């Protein structure tokens, strides 16, 4: 099947996370990006790594789908996009629904958590979402 041989679009690039964040135009997104950098690095114990041109990721896991498609991806991460902050890997696991209910103003979709600005959410709840998401992705969803 041809789809099995397509290259994954989101790969670790080796680009500078600091350069990426300093180039974020929106001042609130840039500030929140630096705060997420600090939070996620501390919680995961992993260095930040650029995945594709716009995703800051932490940790890695290898996935393999029934279709045969496989690759590597960050366990958790974020991207300070123009419309909102996109956070990845935080909505998986049995604890996430209860935490999301207490998080504050946010949206979810397609495995992502969308936040307009960090001031809109409870940082203690966000911290738990990051911790639980990282652990769940690494140990349950795609254990190594």
């Amino acid at each position: 099947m041809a789809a099995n041989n397509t290259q994954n679009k989101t790969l670790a690039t080796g680009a500078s996370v600091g350069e990426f964040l300093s180039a974020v135009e929106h001042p609130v997104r840039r500030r929140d990006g630096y705060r997420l950098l600090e939070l996620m690095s501390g919680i995961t114990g992993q260095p930040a790594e650029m995945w594709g041109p716009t995703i800051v990721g932490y940790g890695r896991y290898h996935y393999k789908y029934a279709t045969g498609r496989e690759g590597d991806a960050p366990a958790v991460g974020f991207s300070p996009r123009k419309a909102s902050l996109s956070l990845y890997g935080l909505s998986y696991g049995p604890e996430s629904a209860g935490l999301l209910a207490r998080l504050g103003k946010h949206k979810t979709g397609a495995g992502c958590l969308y936040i307009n600005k960090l001031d809109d959410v409870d940082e203690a709840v966000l911290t738990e979402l990051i911790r639980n998401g990282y652990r769940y992705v690494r140990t349950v969803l795609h254990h190594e």
Side-chain angles (χ1 to χ4, degrees):
M1 182 174 212
N4 296 344
N5 297 325
T6 46
Q7 175 140 8
N8 295 325
K9 292 179 185 174
T10 306
L11 300 171
T13 65
S16 167
V17 172
E19 286 179 19
F20 166 69
L21 289 176
S22 68
V24 172
E25 289 183 33
H26 192 288
V28 174
R29 298 274 185 281
R30 186 172 52 249
R31 178 199 70 201
D32 287 351
Y34 281 115
R35 180 66 188 127
L36 285 169
L37 176 69
E38 181 183 323
L39 260 180
M40 288 189 168
S41 294
I43 292 166
T44 66
Q46 298 295 314
E49 193 173 22
M50 288 303 301
W51 289 79
T54 61
I55 296 173
V56 179
Y58 300 83
R60 291 178 177 224
Y61 71 90
H62 188 78
Y63 61 85
K64 185 172 184 177
Y65 298 123
T67 62
R69 185 180 181 104
E70 64 182 290
D72 295 310
V76 295
F78 71 91
S79 183
R81 302 200 187 272
K82 285 187 180 188
S84 64
L85 295 167
S86 298
L87 292 92
Y88 307 99
L90 308 189
S91 58
Y92 303 117
E95 303 96 351
S96 65
L99 290 167
L100 287 170
R102 298 186 356 244
L103 179 61
K105 188 177 175 184
H106 72 279
K107 294 179 183 177
T108 57
C112 294
L113 170 64
Y114 302 103
I115 297 171
N116 189 38
K117 59 186 183 292
L118 290 180
D119 290 344
D120 289 343
V121 299
D122 183 324
E123 192 170 299
V125 175
L126 180 60
T127 296
E128 283 305 305
L129 280 164
I130 296 166
R131 183 175 291 116
N132 291 338
Y134 181 74
R135 181 178 56 242
Y136 189 81
V137 169
R138 299 269 308 187
T139 62
V140 178
L141 194 57
H142 297 283
H143 61 278
E144 297 178 26

